[in-house]
Amino acid sequence: MGFVVTLDGPAGAGKSSVARRLAESLGIRYLDTGAIYRAVAYRLDGEGISSQEEEKMAESLASIKIRIEKEGIFVNDENVTGSIRSARIDRIVSGYAASKAVRGALLGLQRAQADYGDLIADGRDTGSVVFPGADIKFFLTATPQARAERRYKELLRKGEAAVYEEVLARIHERDDADSRREIAPLLEPPDSIRVDTSPMSEDEVVHRLLSLIKRRMTQDID
Ligand code: CDP
């Protein structure tokens, strides 16, 4: 296993944009574990299987092959990257992510990504379950209002019609579902570094994390 950085936290804390920039600066691979859950939700939903149907999900998952490539994320041979960030998937993904069949099926795939070299992974349980032995773990958080405001602005930038109150309500719903589920809930690993990003710009978060990671990397070499 190479050098592994994990970044967990609730929706809208800025994990994926920060993780992507960190991976670029460090020249290491980025694993977006949320995209894997989204891809599975997209596929199962498309097959008409609900997140309550454990057996059907397990059956379908046995015939699904997920590949993570430079061009995006593939389910069997379909590149689903463009379809997994829709409002519908936002609404239904946490239901599928709470399933034992789904989480069990995806664990090996995520862990295997560290076999190919250094890695930065972001999600909800990357530091607690997927890579408990990671070299450095972060927990990124922010107030629900700050997170909702970022999502709201992001949607407006994308040209989507959005209502702030609805975005905030969805953030609360997903926080709730992700923290209360039985398997691998969103939690703050005790050995992680907590960063409250509410008052920080994205640049400030990137610089702070980058300096902490670099310090840890040189400690490991010494
Ligand atoms: O980008 P955002 O934080 O909104 O979401 P995401 O990282 O794309 O994750 C989407 C959903 O997948 C989350 O709300 C969780 O329900 C689930 N997820 C998870 O259960 N475990 C992970 N390691 C990553 C995501």
Side-chain angles (χ1 to χ4, degrees):
M1 193 162 106
F3 190 92
V4 175
V5 180
T6 61
L7 218 66
D8 291 306
K15 301 177 304 285
S16 51
S17 30
V18 166
R20 195 164 282 123
R21 285 180 57 184
L22 289 173
E24 215 164 275
S25 294
L26 295 163
I28 66 178
R29 291 174 55 246
Y30 165 49
L31 172 65
D32 175 358
T33 65
I36 305 177
Y37 286 95
R38 286 174 181 272
V40 164
Y42 170 77
R43 171 71 182 219
L44 294 174
D45 181 48
E47 288 179 1
I49 302 171
S50 89
S51 58
Q52 305 304 312
E53 299 176 289
E54 279 289 312
E55 262 177 45
K56 281 194 185 169
M57 285 195 288
E59 230 170 75
S60 172
L61 284 160
S63 65
I64 288 179
K65 198 160 171 44
I66 296 174
R67 282 184 295 121
I68 302 161
E69 307 279 346
K70 274 209 184 74
E71 301 77 34
I73 184 157
F74 289 74
V75 180
N76 295 342
D77 284 324
E78 183 189 359
N79 185 343
V80 299
T81 318
S83 312
I84 60 174
R85 306 231 163 252
S86 68
R88 176 166 180 84
I89 303 298
D90 266 4
R91 219 171 39 244
I92 61 172
V93 60
S94 293
Y96 292 100
S99 144
K100 193 174 173 185
V102 170
R103 300 206 81 84
L106 300 182
L107 194 55
L109 170 72
Q110 295 173 75
R111 287 194 174 143
Q113 304 307 309
D115 295 344
Y116 309 120
D118 299 346
L119 185 75
I120 176 156
D122 86 325
R124 300 293 186 285
D125 64 342
T126 61
S128 56
V129 175
V130 186
F131 300 112
D135 296 275
I136 187 161
K137 302 178 185 179
F138 294 102
F139 190 81
L140 251 58
T141 185
T143 63
Q145 288 75 15
R147 293 187 279 123
E149 203 173 307
R150 286 178 196 155
R151 267 291 142 92
Y152 173 66
K153 286 186 180 154
E154 189 185 331
L155 289 169
L156 292 188
R157 263 202 309 275
K158 281 205 264 171
E160 288 186 36
V163 177
Y164 171 79
E165 285 72 21
E166 279 174 16
V167 177
L168 179 62
R170 200 151 309 141
I171 290 256
H172 277 304
E173 270 167 30
R174 211 133 57 93
D175 281 359
D176 216 44
D178 291 343
S179 319
R180 282 186 308 125
R181 69 173 175 233
E182 241 164 78
I183 314 161
L186 169 67
L187 51 80
E188 191 170 346
D191 54 348
S192 67
I193 301 167
R194 166 184 260 255
V195 180
D196 183 344
T197 68
S198 316
M200 296 167 85
S201 69
E202 192 179 293
D203 278 354
E204 285 173 325
V205 180
V206 171
H207 289 139
R208 167 102 191 273
L209 268 51
L210 205 50
S211 75
L212 290 166
I213 295 168
K214 283 184 175 161
R215 210 182 305 160
R216 184 65 57 88
M217 279 177 153
T218 50
Q219 275 168 2
D220 273 13
I221 292 164
D222 290 347

